[in-house]
Amino acid sequence: MAEDAQLHPSGDPLLAAKFAVPAVPPAFVARQRLLDRLAEGARGPLTVITGPAGAGKTTLAASWREADLAPGPVVWLTVESDDNAPGVFWAYVLGAFRYHRVPLPDGVGSPSSADNVDHSLIVRLAGALAQLPEPVVLVLDGLEHAGGHGIAAELDFVLAHAGPSLRLVLIGRVDPALPLHRYRAEARVCEIRGSELAFTPRETAQLLRCHGLTPSRESVGVLTERTQGWAAGLRLCALAMQRAEDAEHFAQSFAASQNAVSDYLTAEVLAAQPAATQDLLVRTSILSHVHPGLADALTGRDDGARILGGLVRDNAFVEPIGDTSWYRCHPLFAEVLRAHLRSRSPALAAPLHREAACWLGAHDRLTDAIEHAAAADDWPYAAGLLVDRLATGRLLTGPEGPRLERLFSSMPDGLPGTAPALAAAACALARGDAAAGRKHLAGARPGRDAAPEVLLTRALLGLLTGADTGTGSTAPRTPAPAGGGDGRTPPTEGWDPDRGTPDPDRATPDPDREVRALMDRVDRALLTRHPEIEALRRYGRGRALLAAGHGSEARKAFAAALAAAADEQTWTVRYHCLGALALSEAVDGLLREAEAHARDGLKAAEEHGIPLDRRTARCHLALAAVAADRGDLAGAGRYLAAARAHATAHDVPAAAEAAVLRSRLELAHGRATAALSALDDVPVSADGPARAGGEAAGRIAVARCSVHLARGDPAAALAALGEAPTGGPAVAVATAAARLAAGDAEPARRLLAGLPGGERVPPAVRVRAQLLEARSAAVEGDTARAVPLVAAAVRTARPHGLRAPFTEAGPWLRHLLARAPGLADAGAWLTGRSADAEKRSGRGTATRSGPEDAAAGAPLLVEQLSPRERDVLRCAAQTMSTDEIAAELFLSVNTVKTHLKSVYRKLSVSRRSEAVRRARDIGLL
């Protein structure tokens, strides 16, 4: 195989070792009986090879692969103890397929986090394997290391749904956690146990001859009996006999217990080496993989390459890793070496770990370096590495994030210094606890002469947590509130009806400008290696703008962050950007955009395996808001219930929006008291709800105002608005509504007249403002002025499908629609019917004919289609047969028929062609 094919796609030679098929040792005995058993087992779906350490399990499978006896290409993965998290395990499985050049479709995706894997990825992998043109053998060596977290259940699912295309060979010391009883009952498993792996006397004699020995029959019998055919013990004995003056005597005195092996490795292998070799072996025992340069650093000499090469040539339980410069010890020998270090030189371990951390850090193996620094309990150095290398972003997003967070979770609290405080702040932010992040940041006080990497890290974390880093930026702050919030004048921040909207650049938060300035001071090559910094900066800027009430500018920042989040290091940023963008758009009434981004966010969570405890409720909340604004209260309730599964106490803005939505649903069902109670359930962070920004707190105040107005209490409504810490157009319109309800028409008109023009006011607020003006005119009996205002509100709302402001407007609007001929088309749209189509068909279920109607969502549906029903409908639109749909979606034919019947019922049609046409008309396809 070409040299470039030996490396993992990341270029890491140590990762390549996980995928490479282990080499068959030179003194190898090809045991045909076992090769035949393995070849027979690989004709079925599952083969299990179990036995104790050193029983020859891996060597058997490797020799079978080398003999080309497999029914198809062999994909090999060596599972290690660090691979016991689902995301890590399945990422390595997918990497093994790429390494062995077994192509899988790009759409399979991959996990982005260690902690969890979405089931949809497992489904896609099984489907991809089922489509392979020939069988593929997946060998998982050491599966007992990944026995928890449901990995076995996921393997069972893949094996069951991949069909005959997948042949699974599991190697381990214990039985895998698969339902072997079921496979046995169905005669679908081949099991090769330790008793079968044991050497027979004939095979023992052959092994000894391979080592250049000519043992007697008696020696062969004694060795086989005392080792019970244990392959590792026999090989140890053969190596010892090569060095012994009396090979026959040694063979007959050898005892194959674990203690004897350890004693032998210590006395006959380690002690037999020169002093320099012993010193190198013991000192490098802290490492899982050894590089000659690293060995030199730990010994203080320059003979690492010579000694390691000599150990390999002497078969002294050290082997090279592929075609790389790295080596590893035999596991049994490595355990003996570590025990020797613990018992003979316990004080040496910490300095060795510290030296290893320095060498690995200097050779760009940052996470490994931090791991050894943590093992040395040198947290200032570990945190310093994280900060100085500009790697805090990797803790927040990317595949290495969970491992780094686990390492720093052991760091004691309250360590002095800037770097530990910054590392602690980053860990808190990774958990979603911005309040804790701000507290840790308060303890990070770098001096004016601190390195730009340190200052940049602090400024970036400050931007992401919403902390005031106090770095002295010259950027102007957002203007202070112009109103007192007492109901007489709308409380505002950055907006005043007499001054208009300020320049958005003047509203840019200070930390963002500081981050940009510091990025210019950092070495360009280092910044290029960390694309997550720019993505996080843009995302943090969007959050700051959103908290300050600048929704439009925030969305531009989130869109820019999406453009910057283009690789695996930034998947998490991309997911959170989509959630924040969707919820902001939903709040402002941009329903089409909100729905698209929310669904993209949910899809990204599945494809990239975002762990369930790291997901945000914002995508589901956005869909709930979209459904509520389109008049689909049942759908809004379902999405709101789904959002609760991902709700966290740390995400105060999302919690506030969830409370607003619950209140709206309660109020829509006439339960005003419950609607007010829902607004009291917002979890309060350590900084209070106002810390979430004026937008969230303003939303709560406006929602309370709406409930009080529905109860006929304008005074309470005005008092609720006085609690809003900030203002803006939404609060101004709510204040106007309360003033109008209180009979103060003139102040209400002034507030509405002072609203900015154009796109400065979101569609949802603009529609409510237009309806308020229309109501004021209708109350005064000025129908001529009210009708065009309602028509204008419909024109504003219709492209977005905004129906809720009209249904919540009150009886005056229904009366106006009933008696004003000029509003016939508006009335037809609000009821979900096209006037022209109704004339043609004479029915109330007419199709839409214009793009504005298509954009309005699907208000004609009594019940929304489920995701699986949408999948079936999309396949039907491609003229697939029922059998083809079943195969495409991995469903039974009867299940497909059931879904089709449900689709017909929900779309009010009776045939497939009608369902497809109807779905296209209302924008489902």
Side-chain angles (χ1 to χ4, degrees):
M1 184 178 295
E3 183 176 354
D4 62 346
Q6 299 293 324
L7 294 178
H8 182 264
S10 69
D12 189 339
L14 300 187
L15 288 179
K18 299 178 68 66
F19 306 139
V21 179
V24 176
F28 167 71
V29 177
R31 298 189 280 172
Q32 194 61 45
R33 62 184 179 88
L34 294 178
L35 294 175
D36 291 343
R37 285 275 289 134
L38 188 49
E40 176 189 357
R43 286 197 286 267
L46 179 61
T47 302
V48 177
I49 306 175
T50 56
K57 307 179 294 295
T58 298
T59 301
L60 169 62
S63 64
W64 173 73
R65 161 67 175 80
E66 187 177 79
D68 199 22
L69 298 175
V74 175
V75 174
W76 190 288
L77 172 61
T78 299
V79 184
E80 298 174 313
S81 56
D82 290 338
D83 306 341
N84 63 344
V88 175
F89 174 79
W90 286 107
Y92 281 140
V93 169
L94 295 168
F97 275 92
R98 291 193 297 270
Y99 178 86
H100 291 282
R101 299 181 178 179
V102 177
L104 294 175
D106 293 337
V108 171
S110 61
S112 67
S113 173
D115 300 327
N116 200 2
V117 171
D118 196 280
H119 185 65
S120 63
L121 184 144
I122 307 301
V123 173
R124 291 193 297 273
L125 175 59
L129 291 172
Q131 302 300 319
L132 292 177
E134 62 176 335
V136 61
V137 180
L138 175 58
V139 179
L140 299 177
D141 188 6
L143 186 63
E144 69 270 13
H145 295 308
H149 302 281
I151 290 177
E154 292 163 351
L155 269 176
D156 184 41
F157 179 89
V158 171
L159 190 59
H161 291 81
S165 296
L166 178 63
R167 315 293 170 83
L168 190 58
V169 177
L170 305 181
I171 305 172
R173 298 184 184 182
V174 297
D175 280 348
L178 274 69
L180 293 181
H181 61 280
R182 192 183 72 218
Y183 285 95
R184 291 172 185 140
E186 298 170 356
R188 300 174 64 236
V189 59
C190 172
E191 299 176 76
I192 301 177
R193 299 293 182 178
S195 58
E196 294 180 78
L197 293 170
F199 273 65
T200 65
R202 180 178 178 181
E203 291 166 347
T204 298
Q206 188 176 355
L207 175 65
L208 296 175
R209 287 194 294 271
C210 287
H211 284 79
L213 301 169
T214 54
S216 65
R217 179 175 298 180
E218 182 181 5
S219 296
V220 169
V222 170
L223 279 177
T224 305
E225 179 181 356
R226 292 186 178 179
T227 62
Q228 296 182 349
W230 181 43
L234 288 170
R235 183 171 177 235
L236 287 171
C237 184
L239 292 173
M241 290 173 67
Q242 287 178 324
R243 298 184 178 93
E245 294 182 2
D246 188 346
E248 286 293 315
H249 174 76
F250 179 88
Q252 294 185 27
S253 63
F254 184 84
S257 68
Q258 189 69 22
N259 289 336
V261 172
S262 298
D263 292 341
Y264 167 75
L265 287 170
T266 301
E268 300 297 334
V269 179
L270 179 61
Q273 302 297 333
T277 303
Q278 292 184 42
D279 183 59
L280 180 145
L281 287 170
V282 172
R283 287 172 177 267
T284 59
S285 66
I286 65 166
L287 308 168
S288 57
H289 305 89
V290 186
H291 188 278
L294 180 50
D296 290 343
L298 296 182
T299 62
R301 305 189 305 270
D302 60 359
D303 53 5
R306 178 182 61 79
I307 291 177
L308 290 168
L311 290 169
V312 171
R313 288 191 297 274
D314 294 342
N315 295 317
F317 303 99
V318 174
E319 60 184 7
I321 298 177
D323 294 334
T324 73
S325 300
W326 292 79
Y327 298 82
R328 62 184 167 198
C329 279
H330 187 283
L332 293 175
F333 195 26
E335 289 178 11
V336 169
L337 294 172
R338 284 191 288 272
H340 187 86
L341 177 65
R342 287 193 299 270
S343 63
R344 304 290 178 88
S345 306
L348 188 57
L352 288 173
H353 280 295
R354 193 174 294 110
E355 188 65 37
C358 292
W359 189 93
L360 290 164
H363 289 78
D364 292 328
R365 301 193 67 84
L366 182 65
T367 305
D368 291 335
I370 291 174
E371 185 171 20
H372 282 283
D377 207 27
D378 191 347
W379 293 108
Y381 182 71
L385 280 174
L386 187 76
V387 174
D388 295 342
R389 301 300 175 83
L390 211 60
T392 47
R394 296 289 172 91
L395 195 150
L396 300 175
T397 178
E400 293 182 334
R403 182 183 173 193
L404 286 169
E405 186 191 343
R406 283 195 296 270
L407 287 173
F408 280 104
S409 65
S410 301
M411 184 174 67
D413 291 333
L415 290 178
T418 297
L422 292 176
C427 285
L429 190 57
R431 297 190 298 270
D433 192 349
R438 289 191 290 273
K439 290 181 180 178
H440 288 298
L441 277 180
R445 298 184 178 91
R448 292 184 177 273
D449 58 346
E453 291 80 11
V454 176
L455 297 175
L456 174 57
T457 298
R458 187 170 187 267
L460 180 63
L461 292 175
L463 176 62
L464 292 169
T465 60
D468 184 357
T469 58
T471 51
S473 171
T474 59
R477 297 218 178 242
T478 304
D486 60 357
R488 294 187 298 273
T489 306
T492 61
E493 180 173 322
W495 175 86
D496 185 275
D498 297 324
R499 293 185 294 159
T501 301
D503 183 349
D505 288 339
R506 288 186 56 81
T508 300
D510 291 350
D512 175 63
R513 184 164 296 184
E514 183 72 11
V515 171
R516 283 183 289 163
L518 289 167
M519 288 175 70
D520 291 336
R521 293 175 54 190
V522 170
D523 179 69
R524 182 58 52 185
L526 176 61
L527 202 58
T528 301
R529 293 198 296 271
H530 291 279
E532 70 277 4
I533 299 297
E534 176 64 9
L536 286 167
R537 181 195 72 79
R538 297 182 183 188
Y539 171 63
R541 180 175 185 271
R543 287 184 53 173
L545 287 166
L546 195 61
H550 302 290
S552 178
E553 291 302 311
R555 288 191 287 275
K556 292 178 182 177
F558 288 134
L562 283 176
D567 63 8
E568 65 175 355
Q569 291 294 343
T570 53
W571 280 342
T572 308
V573 179
R574 184 173 188 83
Y575 166 67
H576 284 285
C577 275
L578 287 167
L581 189 58
L583 188 56
S584 173
E585 290 165 338
V587 166
D588 281 355
L590 303 170
L591 304 190
R592 287 180 301 172
E593 297 87 341
E595 183 177 30
H597 285 129
R599 296 198 183 282
D600 285 346
L602 296 178
K603 182 179 179 182
E606 292 183 0
E607 289 184 351
H608 303 318
I610 304 296
L612 293 177
D613 60 351
R614 295 293 182 87
R615 296 192 183 184
T616 174
R618 298 191 178 203
C619 289
H620 284 105
L621 287 175
L623 292 173
V626 169
D629 277 336
R630 287 176 175 169
D632 180 11
L633 299 182
R638 288 194 298 272
Y639 286 122
L640 189 56
R644 291 195 187 101
H646 308 299
T648 67
H650 302 309
D651 193 349
V652 178
E657 191 58 39
V660 169
L661 286 167
R662 285 195 297 273
S663 178
R664 287 182 62 184
L665 294 180
E666 294 289 0
L667 191 59
H669 290 92
R671 298 187 286 264
T673 302
L676 282 176
S677 297
L679 297 171
D680 294 331
D681 293 338
V682 181
V684 179
S685 71
D687 302 306
R691 186 63 186 173
E695 187 73 9
R699 293 278 294 165
I700 293 289
V702 169
R704 282 201 176 97
C705 172
S706 298
V707 178
H708 288 307
L709 289 178
R711 301 174 74 177
D713 191 347
L718 285 169
L721 291 172
E723 298 174 1
T726 61
V731 175
V733 171
T735 305
R739 286 297 183 192
L740 190 61
D744 300 332
E746 187 56 32
R749 279 195 290 269
R750 285 201 305 270
L751 286 168
L752 296 175
L755 290 173
E759 297 181 356
R760 295 179 179 180
V761 178
V765 178
R766 174 64 67 187
V767 169
R768 286 181 167 84
Q770 291 168 327
L771 289 176
L772 275 179
E773 292 187 71
R775 178 186 175 187
S776 177
V779 169
E780 295 174 356
D782 191 352
T783 304
R785 189 164 69 91
V787 168
L789 285 169
V790 171
V794 170
R795 286 195 299 273
T796 302
R798 192 166 183 170
H800 309 286
L802 269 168
R803 283 178 166 77
F806 299 91
T807 59
E808 297 167 0
W812 70 269
L813 180 59
R814 289 194 295 273
H815 297 157
L816 183 64
L817 289 171
R819 66 175 184 263
L823 295 178
D825 185 66
W829 176 73
L830 289 172
T831 56
R833 293 185 291 274
S834 167
D836 292 340
E838 188 167 338
K839 291 178 182 178
R840 292 194 304 270
S841 64
R843 301 185 305 172
T845 57
T847 61
R848 298 183 184 86
S849 57
E852 291 182 350
D853 290 320
L860 301 186
L861 296 181
V862 175
E863 184 178 354
Q864 297 294 314
L865 300 185
S866 70
R868 182 56 80 185
E869 288 167 352
R870 286 176 178 261
D871 291 339
V872 171
L873 185 58
R874 279 191 286 269
C875 290
Q878 299 173 28
T879 66
M880 290 185 181
S881 67
T882 304
D883 290 339
E884 290 171 337
I885 296 174
E888 175 71 16
L889 301 179
F890 303 103
L891 301 172
S892 69
V893 172
N894 286 336
T895 300
V896 171
K897 291 179 179 178
T898 300
H899 284 315
L900 284 172
K901 289 179 181 178
S902 180
V903 169
Y904 298 162
R905 175 181 60 80
K906 292 180 179 181
L907 294 179
S908 301
V909 297
S910 58
R911 293 194 302 273
R912 183 180 301 192
S913 59
E914 292 177 351
V916 171
R917 183 165 56 251
R918 173 118 169 92
R920 286 185 174 135
D921 287 340
I922 62 177
L924 288 179
L925 292 175

